[in-house]
Every structure is written in C-alpha cells, then in structure tokens.
Amino acid sequence: MNRPFLQMTNSDDHFLKRRYLPRAVLCLGLAFAGGCGGEDTRSFHVAGASSPPSQILLQTDWYPQPEHGGFYQADALGYYEEEGLEVRIRPGGPGSRVNQRVALKEAHFGLGRSDEIMVAVDRGLPLIIVAALMQHSPQALLLHDSNPVQTFQDLDGKTVMAGVGSNWVEYLRRRYNIRINLLPLQYGLAQFVTNPNFIQQCFITNEPFFARRQGLEVRTLLISHSGYDPYRVIFAHRDFVEEHPEVVERFVRASIRGWESYLGEDPSPGNAGFSPLNPQMSPAFIAYALETMKEHRLVEGYEERGERIGALSRDRLERQIADLHEVGLLSRILEVDEVADLRFAPEPLPLPLPAAEEAGAGGEES
C-alpha cells in the first residue's frame, strides 16, 4: 500500500524560528543553537493519496544561505501564492538525510545532486529529479596559494579531506589513474589554517571567504573542471509526481521565477527570508556568496551551451549516468526517464550553429 504524503499543520511553523548557523561559520568551529538535521517534534496530519496537499514542504540540503535564495525570494514576492501554493522551507544540515526524508514521504521536494539521485535510484529509492537548481556544481578543492598542486593529476598520492563516499573522488581516481588518501570531512578550517599543504573539499561560495578573512591566500580547483559536473537539483518522490503533476509544475515554475528575480533583480527579499534563520551570516558573506554564484554562472549556466535556470539536458544526464556506471557507482546503465521527469523543467536553449553552418545558412538562395 502506498504511504500517503504528509500535510503540515500551523504548529509546524516553529521549526522556521530555530537559529541555524551557515555552513562556513560552522566551519570555523563556532557553536550553534537548535537542531541540524535531527528529528524534531513537528506535528503532521496526513492527506489521502489523491488529495492535493494544501501546504508544500521543501527540505533543503544545508542551513539557510544564499544558495537557497531563490526559494526564499519566490516566497517573499508571492510567486508561490500566485500558483496557489503555501510553501514551507525546512533547513538541512549535517545528517539531514534529504533523500531518505523524501523517499519516506516526509517532504514533498528535496534539494540534492543529480549523481546522488542516480545512485539512490539504482539502489531502489523511488526518487525522481524534476528540475535543476544549479547548472554547475560549486564543489571544489580548497588549497593554499603556495600549494604545489595545480591540476587534478597532481593529487596523486596526496591526502584530501572530503566526504566519505563522495562520488567525485572515485571519478578522479579512475579518470586520472591517481591515488587519493581521504580524511573524513570535518566542518572546520582548523587543519587548513595551520598546514599550508592541506587540501580540503569546499564550496566556492563559502569556505574561501572565511579562509581569506583569516588572512590566508587561497585558491580553488573546481571539481566541474575535471569533467565531473553534476547538476544540483530539485527532486521528489515518484508517487508524488505521478499523483500531482500540476503541483510539481506550479512549484517548479514559481521557484524558477524566484531564482530569476534573486539573481537578476533586488535580492533583498530573499536575503530577508533566510538571514534571520542564520543571524551569524554577515552582509559581506551573503554578498560574496551571491556574487560568486553569478560569477561562475552556477544557477543560470551558459546560454552558448544551451543552459538556463532550471533546465535539464537529456544528453548531459545520459553522460552522467554513463560516467557513474563506468567508475562502478551504478550497477547498470539507467534510462534518463528512470531518474528525471523532464516535463517540468524548461527546455534547454537551442545551441548556436557552428560558424561554417551559420555562414552557409546566410548564403544566397540558388
């Protein structure tokens, strides 16, 4: 029997009043108040499977921060309300188990990475991607500027602090035929600050800011430059998508509007939505994270590659599946339709014609 989806009562609002620290502040070892992915005491009442939910719960993958700004912008500007939706945003954190929460129907939508969802589907979780959050991953390696490592090939024999089981680590090992020693990821910069040869996983939108505030000269190696570039995505339970495609469509459409506004217009409504939940975030940090997202076109992508906010490319998803299978992270080659429902995301933009074809197209008619 299908498990019904949660529906929230007003008492659920209390989790939005908790105080969370942003990822990078936690990296500096500061204490935080409230939960960070543990169970809470929210009360829910459950709607029948055929009933459209009156409220939508979005489970994020980390503490409230600019990387979620478009969702808060959509809420603040009434875009969800215009679509007939009441959206609650539940912050994540270490151990927030986004995939499991969505698979157990404890959230309607979750945020994650396309490679994670592919592996989860291969292992039997009923998840499906419905749109892209970011066209390009902000995942990177943080290095001191004096570190001799300049390329991924230079990582051979080096020690890197990274999340245990990170898919990109296995990809780098296989693609470059290198040996990487792993230290389990700790959300702190203490070892990095004291060791000029230390290398650790980071987000380009976060840790470099705080390292530089410590007076360090640092640089990053974007994992996407290795060829491993998963989308960051919005995903849902397959049952929810099949039962309520109109709700999914409205949520995706309003979220994309929120991101277009957050990146292209005044971001202050979105910032005002998440800043009180992370009071330790400074205006300088928020500005840095937002500017870095824009500089690297993480959310909107590159028009010349056919990318735009929310869009998913079938060809790119096929390549990601093939890469994951090649490095042994998938047991078989999945079909794109097993991991993504492309009905809701915008179509990729048409790719520009090669110069030779464009010249030919402009010639005189015979």
Side-chain angles (χ1 to χ4, degrees), residues 13 76 88 100 118 189 225 265 294 299 305 311 320:
D13 284 347
R88 296 282 189 260
Q100 290 86 345
M118 291 167 181
L189 288 175
H225 291 173
E265 300 171 3
K294 291 181 179 181
V299 177
R305 302 178 191 172
Q320 289 180 18

Side-chain angles (χ1 to χ4, degrees), residues 282-315:
S282 68
F285 168 73
I286 293 172
Y288 167 84
L290 179 56
E291 187 56 37
T292 302
M293 283 195 290
K294 291 181 179 181
E295 176 187 351
H296 292 273
R297 304 193 64 82
L298 297 179
V299 177
E300 61 266 61
Y302 296 89
E303 291 184 4
E304 60 270 24
R305 302 178 191 172
E307 298 165 352
R308 58 173 165 168
I309 295 175
L312 294 166
S313 162
R314 180 176 291 272
D315 289 345

Side-chain angles (χ1 to χ4, degrees), residues 49-127:
S50 61
S51 303
S54 61
Q55 297 178 337
I56 293 296
L57 177 59
L58 169 64
Q59 174 68 61
T60 72
D61 51 350
W62 204 255
Y63 307 105
Q65 57 187 343
E67 290 90 331
H68 306 139
F71 301 107
Y72 288 95
Q73 187 93 344
D75 185 45
L77 297 181
Y79 296 159
Y80 291 128
E81 185 178 2
E82 289 176 21
E83 295 285 357
L85 302 175
E86 184 178 352
V87 174
R88 296 282 189 260
I89 302 172
R90 178 167 61 195
S96 55
R97 304 180 297 110
V98 183
N99 291 2
Q100 290 86 345
R101 285 186 182 274
V102 175
L104 291 172
K105 301 183 179 181
E106 295 175 356
H108 299 98
F109 296 98
L111 303 182
R113 296 196 319 263
S114 56
D115 60 331
E116 289 180 330
I117 303 306
M118 291 167 181
V119 171
V121 169
D122 185 52
R123 294 175 180 174
L125 290 186
L127 306 177

Side-chain angles (χ1 to χ4, degrees), residues 198-255:
F198 199 76
I199 304 171
Q200 74 176 69
Q201 172 183 313
C202 75
F203 267 21
I204 57 171
T205 50
N206 281 261
E207 286 86 349
F209 173 86
F210 288 92
R212 290 175 181 131
R213 286 283 291 266
Q214 297 256 341
L216 303 177
E217 294 184 4
V218 300
R219 55 187 168 85
T220 57
L221 272 178
L222 268 170
I223 302 298
S224 61
H225 291 173
S226 73
Y228 193 80
D229 190 17
Y231 293 105
R232 297 196 78 82
V233 295
I234 305 168
F235 65 94
H237 194 291
R238 184 174 286 276
D239 286 352
F240 182 71
V241 174
E242 292 175 355
E243 292 165 9
H244 304 296
E246 74 291 344
V247 175
V248 178
E249 181 178 5
R250 299 202 306 267
F251 177 80
V252 169
R253 182 166 55 231
S255 298

Side-chain angles (χ1 to χ4, degrees), residues 7-27:
Q7 194 167 33
M8 294 181 292
T9 67
N10 288 336
S11 63
D12 203 32
D13 284 347
H14 86 270
F15 72 75
L16 291 176
K17 297 181 174 66
R18 292 180 177 182
R19 298 286 178 149
Y20 294 89
L21 290 180
R23 169 193 179 108
V25 173
L26 181 61
C27 287

Side-chain angles (χ1 to χ4, degrees), residues 41-198:
T41 57
R42 297 184 321 273
S43 68
F44 300 118
H45 67 275
V46 178
S50 61
S51 303
S54 61
Q55 297 178 337
I56 293 296
L57 177 59
L58 169 64
Q59 174 68 61
T60 72
D61 51 350
W62 204 255
Y63 307 105
Q65 57 187 343
E67 290 90 331
H68 306 139
F71 301 107
Y72 288 95
Q73 187 93 344
D75 185 45
L77 297 181
Y79 296 159
Y80 291 128
E81 185 178 2
E82 289 176 21
E83 295 285 357
L85 302 175
E86 184 178 352
V87 174
R88 296 282 189 260
I89 302 172
R90 178 167 61 195
S96 55
R97 304 180 297 110
V98 183
N99 291 2
Q100 290 86 345
R101 285 186 182 274
V102 175
L104 291 172
K105 301 183 179 181
E106 295 175 356
H108 299 98
F109 296 98
L111 303 182
R113 296 196 319 263
S114 56
D115 60 331
E116 289 180 330
I117 303 306
M118 291 167 181
V119 171
V121 169
D122 185 52
R123 294 175 180 174
L125 290 186
L127 306 177
I128 191 118
I129 297 166
V130 296
L133 163 58
M134 290 187 179
Q135 295 293 309
H136 299 287
S137 173
Q139 199 91 65
L141 296 177
L142 182 68
L143 307 98
H144 290 263
D145 201 43
S146 60
N147 195 305
V149 170
Q150 299 291 330
T151 69
F152 295 106
Q153 190 69 53
D154 295 337
L155 292 171
D156 190 24
K158 299 296 189 295
T159 297
V160 176
M161 187 168 73
V164 175
S166 295
N167 296 333
W168 59 266
V169 174
E170 190 59 30
Y171 177 86
L172 293 182
R173 284 170 170 163
R174 299 281 188 106
R175 173 168 182 182
Y176 294 99
N177 192 27
I178 58 177
R179 179 175 54 86
I180 300 175
N181 305 311
L182 285 186
L183 282 178
L185 183 62
Q186 300 174 15
Y187 296 101
L189 288 175
Q191 294 183 74
F192 183 85
V193 168
T194 59
N195 183 350
N197 292 317
F198 199 76

